[in-house]
Amino acid sequence: MQLTSLGLVRGIIGYFVGLVIGMAVVVISRLALGMSAWDQEAGWVGGIIFAMIGFMWAVGSLTDWFKWTRGVETPFHHGPPVGKPAWTRYFSVDYNHKVIGIQYGVTGFLLLILGGSFALVFRAELADSGISFLQPGTYNTFLSMHAWVALASILLGVGGMANYLVPLMIGAEDMAFPRLNAFAYWINVPAIITLMISMLFGWDSGWTAYPPLSLRGPVGYQMVFWAIFGIGLSSILGSLNLIVTMLTMRPKGMTLFRMPIFCWAIFATSIIQLTATQLIGLAFLMLSFERSLGMPFFNPLYNALGENIGGQPLLFQHLFWFYSHPAVYVFVLPGLGVISELLPVFARKPLFGYRWIALSSLAIALVGFLVWGHHMFTSGYGEYLRVVFMISTLLVAVPTGVKFFSWLGTLWGGRLTFPTPMLFTLGAISVFLIGGLSGPILATAATDLFLHDSYFVVGHFHATIFGGFVFPFFAAIYYWYPKITGRMYNETLGKIHFWLMTPGFWVMSLAQMTAGTMGMRRRIADYDPALGVEPVHLLITIAGFVIAFSILLMIYNLFTSAEIGALAGNNPWRSRSPEWQIPSPVPEHSYARPITVVGEPYDYGLAGSTYVAMAGAGDD
Amino acid sequence: MLKLPQSSTDRKHFVIVGALVFIATIALGFFLLAILPVKAQHSVQAEPIRWLFQLHVWLIAFLFALVVVFMLYALIVFRKRKDDDSEGEHFEGNATLEVIWTVIPLILVIVFSFIGFQTLRDVTRGGDEVQVEAVGFQWAWTFNYPNGVVSQEMVLPVNKPALISLRATDVVHSFWVVEWGPKQDLVPGMTTHLHITPTKVGEFQIVCAELCGLSHWNMVAKVRVVPEDEYIAWMNQKLAEQNIQMASR
Ligand code: HEM
Ligand SMILES: [Cu+2]
Ligand SMILES: [Cu+2]
């Protein structure tokens, strides 16, 4: 087999060919305009744009669309590529949503490890005061890369869960637009390559990229802007696809209020991704244009009279947070959906208040659009805005509370068992509780004036993101692993993983909050030992390494169990959901015949009830 | 051992859980106050911040205890016993409960909005008996007084309301003295303000709290809070020094 028969390899070659062509185009245009040949801002921007297109073209994600323009038929090819080993389909364009789901999920997991490793590097530096091995410039680059790589990993992890599960859960053959689905996955890859290249030059603003700082630093910023633009494009196209799929491809009998609850979470998430993402794409493009073309959007510029004829730095902060606050709900709503999905299975009880949980996801998504200003309490915008955003932010606590109490109602009176996925679900609730409860203290503006940009905020958002994404993501991996591979993971290793990671995380986030109240600023390469935070920092670093070690155990477990794990059978968890009524691993065409929904999804304990009728399908 | 009732809706469960939640709230509240020592205590504006923070801590302790105690209790009492293959009790929800746990948080939100509003007013209020302008740039500070005195350290008289005007010349910075409480960003192109009435004599650190590039971590300056006569003496001496410099130029 030739290496270049892998789409990924061709794509990478296409990327670098495109990079060279793009740079050449810029050089030639500049010469034609009588300018100096090389300008690194313009050169790199041209290069990156062509490189991304080059990748997408060479990987083959545009091929069918080109054929359509010429009126050529493009029938679907099902199954692994002919004449090549089955694994190769994961490295090339493939339209099957299960393949794309795995591609998303695995890429997301790899990025999680990479982003985590960046954090371990600078956590080691922070373990004691004094600069030991990371110079402040490198420190800032690692810190900033940690953030965006971790956020990308979350977006891809969410994409993985959504793409794999949503069509299965609604009994659909595939997503509504399979080619768009493949495009939305693959655009992430050149974006991530671009993000990695930024490290060669460095950048130092943190993920928020506030101007004017982000307008001044090295050219690495340009790569960040375009990388995030690419990942954002993926979010927009992917969520569009998911919304259409859920609205138009449900089987007979599945009303919206009979969808598995995870689908509701993805529905709410997709609304945010489809709309809010455009704002950050726009904001980052404006930064790029201000840098390379000198358009004064954000940087103030004074004329001879001292009047500002330039831009407004606060404008960027508004645009940025108008996406980035709703985005935090993109990170957590799917995870909260996983919690709601798993609890009834392991409690053998109906989901308490299905409709309330479903609608609370929508409520969180919608209120989430009105609160962005709580990230700007200290920014110097109008005083009265602080009050407005304080109230709207506090309101988010209401639908969030509905979820917690409904989960308790689901557990109450069940027959609870505690395999690894259930443990991670419960761990997620405990961690998200820490994160959620530390939210209102930041929402009342007065306390935030003290806590903003301190380690308290770092503790807050790590707890929300771990409780709302990482723990549920791990729960989902352990839970659906038998469905994906056909084999069980190792339960003992899974439990060790849980019992290392969960206490490790509690210690880490509480210690971060402690450091914050003691006056530790966030995003600093070194701190003053006079603050008295040194022991706290050591604790945070140790906890961080414990968490990292436990994740290594998980990786080992997942790899070895795929070979030696016990055969799982169709439905090891005795779930009512349709994807568990078909063989594991799921066949190429998931459902041999269309399914019909004949009952409620979570009627555990109601004798004689079923959720789906399979019409004699399944085992063939 | 106490014999627990079988039915999940038996009153007895709720009495036990209620008692446990109460105990856990008290324990957790004191634990959180111990591990979250708010360092802001040396200005008039810091007081309301600390007060509101501690009020939050008690609410957090209660809500955390409520959820976690209920959860742990359920995990223990409703775990599946060996040889019990029955399913859980079949109830799909309870509209009354859902309304209750929507409305009570809503009331709490309204109460906290009101308290938050008042506290915010107290924290951002203050006079301007002393005025000083702090200018932040990569990566240091200078301080300008209305009488023309320019200084590398900030000096303020104790217990006098000060109005600090903030200006950045390059990128966004943020002015923060941990012991005083509130912070305020400095934004190029506009002037922002911070009211502080320091209540403790001593030396503190002004730090930049908004990531501003390479040496952000080290963008610090000294602030001295001194008795009023000392402040006047310092000011006079500074003026004299500056006049000598002017004259010799
Ligand atoms: C649902 C999951 C949540 C996530 C993922 C989340 C995430 C975050 C993140 C990432 C930040 C830091 C942004 C930065 O400064 O760089 C943040 C700050 C903040 N969060 Fe959350 N949050 C969540 C829930 C909440 C809730 C429920 C509240 C309030 C009721 C809240 C209130 C705040 C406030 C006020 C800030 C600004 C703090 C500051 O920058 O000083 N958050 N959150
Ligand atoms: Cu937010
Ligand atoms: Cu600064």
Side-chain angles (χ1 to χ4, degrees):
Chain A
M1 192 195 74
Q2 263 195 326
L3 213 52
T4 47
S5 73
L6 291 185
L8 178 63
V9 176
R10 286 197 310 274
I12 292 174
I13 296 171
Y15 183 94
F16 286 101
V17 172
L19 190 66
V20 174
I21 296 178
M23 287 182 171
V25 169
V26 172
V27 168
I28 294 168
S29 334
R30 286 179 65 88
L31 288 176
L33 290 170
M35 297 193 256
S36 66
W38 180 244
D39 169 75
Q40 65 164 358
E41 295 284 327
W44 273 102
V45 170
I48 294 165
I49 294 173
F50 275 75
M52 295 234 206
I53 297 172
F55 184 102
M56 296 310 283
W57 179 71
V59 76
S61 72
L62 307 176
T63 316
D64 278 5
W65 288 331
F66 283 143
K67 284 186 184 160
W68 291 359
T69 63
R70 287 181 281 126
V72 180
E73 296 271 328
T74 56
F76 271 116
H77 166 77
H78 293 287
V82 231
K84 284 191 239 170
W87 59 266
T88 54
R89 68 190 304 197
Y90 292 97
F91 293 86
S92 300
V93 171
D94 193 295
Y95 296 144
N96 188 311
H97 78 95
K98 293 182 287 284
V99 173
I100 296 176
I102 299 293
Q103 288 173 328
Y104 263 111
V106 170
T107 316
F109 200 94
L110 290 176
L111 289 177
L112 193 69
I113 295 167
L114 183 67
S117 313
F118 288 139
L120 291 182
V121 173
F122 67 75
R123 268 325 314 174
E125 169 66 48
L126 289 173
D128 58 358
S129 66
I131 288 179
S132 8
F133 65 94
L134 266 192
Q135 290 312 308
T138 331
Y139 178 94
N140 287 348
T141 302
F142 270 74
L143 169 93
S144 309
M145 284 298 290
H146 160 66
W148 267 124
V149 172
L151 295 177
S153 87
I154 298 174
L155 291 173
L156 270 92
V158 166
M161 293 194 284
N163 274 289
Y164 194 89
L165 294 174
V166 167
L168 280 182
M169 284 181 163
I170 64 173
E173 159 84 21
D174 207 307
M175 295 278 279
F177 309 117
R179 293 174 183 80
L180 190 67
N181 202 20
F183 182 92
Y185 164 72
W186 280 101
I187 185 76
N188 287 295
V189 180
I192 291 160
I193 297 174
T194 310
L195 188 59
M196 290 304 143
I197 296 178
S198 79
M199 286 191 81
L200 297 179
F201 301 89
W203 54 290
D204 56 3
S205 64
W207 75 293
T208 48
Y210 280 5
L213 179 62
S214 56
L215 297 172
R216 296 172 172 235
V219 72
Y221 277 106
Q222 291 285 13
M223 287 140 220
V224 180
F225 301 152
W226 287 91
I228 304 313
F229 189 81
I231 293 172
L233 187 59
S234 164
S235 283
I236 294 171
L237 299 177
S239 56
L240 176 79
N241 211 343
L242 283 162
I243 290 178
V244 176
T245 305
M246 279 181 276
L247 285 184
T248 63
M249 297 173 71
R250 295 193 314 281
K252 216 169 122 213
M254 189 188 277
T255 58
L256 280 182
F257 280 118
R258 276 183 172 181
M259 284 199 296
I261 196 76
F262 177 77
C263 296
W264 269 99
I266 294 296
F267 191 74
T269 306
S270 300
I271 293 177
I272 302 175
Q273 286 195 293
L274 183 62
T275 52
T277 312
Q278 307 177 30
L279 275 282
I280 197 176
L282 172 76
F284 275 23
L285 277 197
M286 287 164 85
L287 285 178
S288 177
F289 292 161
E290 179 152 0
R291 286 179 68 112
S292 47
L293 304 176
M295 297 175 175
F297 295 122
F298 303 124
N299 203 13
L301 207 72
Y302 300 97
N303 66 9
L305 298 173
E307 294 158 337
N308 181 6
I309 52 164
Q312 243 301 335
L314 287 194
L315 170 63
F316 177 85
Q317 299 186 14
H318 284 290
L319 291 174
F320 180 85
W321 288 114
F322 192 87
Y323 163 75
S324 294
H325 180 83
V328 305
Y329 295 112
V330 172
F331 307 154
V332 301
L333 285 175
L336 305 188
V338 169
I339 297 176
S340 305
E341 189 67 43
L342 266 54
L343 283 182
V345 177
F346 294 108
R348 312 308 303 167
K349 259 186 86 240
L351 181 62
F352 193 95
Y354 172 101
R355 283 174 186 237
W356 290 81
I357 292 193
L359 293 178
S360 73
S361 292
L362 275 188
I364 290 177
L366 297 182
V367 181
F369 276 101
L370 308 176
V371 305
W372 77 91
H374 65 218
H375 297 271
M376 300 169 61
F377 283 141
T378 67
S379 69
Y381 62 19
E383 295 261 329
Y384 62 96
L385 286 176
R386 287 174 168 166
V387 180
V388 176
F389 284 118
M390 170 172 79
I391 297 172
S392 63
T393 303
L394 285 171
L395 275 176
V396 180
V398 177
T400 316
V402 167
K403 281 198 195 293
F404 275 104
F405 295 128
S406 302
W407 292 333
L408 291 181
T410 307
L411 291 174
W412 199 255
R415 297 286 178 277
L416 305 167
T417 51
F418 306 100
T420 307
M422 178 62 159
L423 288 180
F424 272 95
T425 305
L426 298 170
I429 296 179
S430 75
V431 169
F432 190 66
L433 190 60
I434 298 177
L437 288 178
S438 57
I441 213 168
L442 296 167
T444 46
T447 36
D448 185 69
L449 298 185
F450 175 64
L451 296 169
H452 175 67
D453 270 334
S454 78
Y455 257 58
F456 193 92
V457 175
V458 176
H460 160 71
F461 67 76
H462 280 88
T464 47
I465 288 175
F466 268 70
F469 174 74
V470 179
F471 276 78
F473 185 51
F474 289 177
I477 291 177
Y478 283 118
Y479 180 78
W480 277 287
Y481 183 83
K483 184 49 58 186
I484 297 168
T485 63
R487 291 178 186 273
M488 290 304 281
Y489 58 88
N490 180 318
E491 193 64 62
T492 315
L493 275 178
K495 288 198 164 128
I496 298 176
H497 172 199
F498 175 80
W499 286 111
L500 283 176
M501 180 163 156
T502 312
F505 191 83
W506 290 334
V507 169
M508 187 176 94
S509 54
L510 289 182
Q512 284 170 333
M513 292 182 195
T514 303
T517 53
M518 293 173 79
M520 173 72 195
R521 295 174 281 156
R522 65 191 286 203
R523 295 168 162 172
I524 54 175
D526 189 23
Y527 49 92
D528 185 355
L531 279 176
V533 290
E534 214 163 11
V536 184
H537 269 298
L538 184 60
L539 196 61
I540 300 174
T541 301
I542 294 173
F545 276 88
V546 170
I547 295 169
F549 173 75
S550 76
I551 295 178
L552 287 183
L553 288 184
M554 176 189 195
I555 297 169
Y556 173 80
N557 191 352
L558 297 181
F559 263 101
T560 52
S561 302
E563 305 274 325
I564 59 169
L567 288 179
N570 286 11
N571 194 357
W573 311 120
R574 297 188 296 134
S575 162
R576 294 163 62 94
S577 199
E579 80 272 21
W580 292 103
Q581 318 310 324
I582 53 177
S584 321
V586 185
E588 180 72 23
H589 298 275
S590 317
Y591 297 92
R593 271 172 225 109
I595 63 169
T596 324
V597 167
V598 294
E600 298 295 327
Y602 300 105
D603 264 344
Y604 293 97
L606 184 66
S609 77
T610 46
Y611 178 34
V612 284
M614 304 299 291
D619 295 15
D620 50 341
Chain B
M1 256 311 273
L2 188 77
K3 190 100 176 73
L4 287 172
Q6 288 293 300
S7 158
S8 72
T9 46
D10 196 299
R11 262 261 201 64
K12 216 161 166 188
H13 290 300
F14 298 97
V15 175
I16 300 173
V17 172
L20 289 175
V21 168
F22 181 75
I23 299 168
T25 303
I26 307 284
L28 209 62
F30 284 111
F31 171 71
L32 288 177
L33 288 179
I35 66 162
L36 298 173
V38 175
K39 277 284 175 64
Q41 25 195 306
H42 298 322
S43 81
V44 167
Q45 286 76 8
E47 284 315 310
I49 291 181
R50 260 156 44 93
W51 176 82
L52 182 56
F53 189 95
Q54 287 168 2
L55 185 68
H56 270 295
V57 164
W58 284 107
L59 182 69
I60 290 173
F62 169 68
L63 290 173
F64 195 86
L66 186 70
V67 173
V68 168
V69 169
F70 256 101
M71 187 164 105
L72 289 178
Y73 185 88
L75 300 190
I76 294 167
V77 174
F78 301 115
R79 71 185 185 279
K80 175 176 160 332
R81 308 300 200 285
K82 270 211 182 67
D83 314 320
D84 174 8
D85 278 335
S86 63
E87 300 276 83
E89 292 170 40
H90 186 85
F91 48 84
E92 293 176 8
N94 182 322
T96 320
L97 275 180
E98 300 277 4
V99 171
I100 290 175
W101 63 50
T102 307
V103 170
I104 293 182
L106 203 58
I107 294 173
L108 275 176
V109 164
I110 295 170
V111 171
F112 265 80
S113 299
F114 187 67
I115 297 175
F117 169 69
Q118 289 193 321
T119 319
L120 181 64
R121 204 190 48 204
D122 293 345
V123 171
T124 48
R125 198 164 52 177
D128 57 356
E129 285 180 39
V130 184
Q131 292 186 20
V132 54
E133 182 190 54
V135 182
F137 49 94
Q138 287 176 323
W139 291 280
W141 303 86
T142 49
F143 306 98
N144 305 322
Y145 288 83
N147 58 4
V149 164
V150 179
S151 166
Q152 301 310 310
E153 61 170 5
M154 187 163 164
V155 180
L156 287 182
V158 70
N159 291 329
K160 280 264 149 112
L163 175 64
I164 307 172
S165 308
L166 299 161
R167 213 155 51 73
T169 57
D170 40 31
V171 302
V172 180
H173 302 277
S174 189
F175 178 99
W176 193 26
V177 176
V178 175
E179 290 81 358
W180 286 350
K183 61 175 74 66
Q184 174 62 54
D185 290 0
L186 291 65
V187 185
M190 58 196 265
T191 305
T192 51
H193 301 277
L194 188 62
H195 285 286
I196 290 292
T197 312
T199 52
K200 186 160 189 255
V201 169
E203 251 185 52
F204 307 100
Q205 226 178 25
I206 296 167
V207 296
C208 175
E210 179 67 54
L211 180 52
C212 59
L214 188 64
S215 297
H216 161 63
W217 62 281
N218 201 21
M219 181 169 161
V220 295
K222 202 164 70 178
V223 52
R224 283 196 296 126
V225 179
V226 297
E228 187 164 12
D229 45 355
E230 212 176 299
Y231 171 73
I232 296 171
W234 175 81
M235 193 58 91
N236 288 338
Q237 188 200 339
K238 266 280 179 194
L239 269 177
E241 274 172 25
Q242 263 174 241
N243 287 341
I244 293 170
Q245 272 179 10
M246 292 285 250
S248 68
R249 224 180 264 158

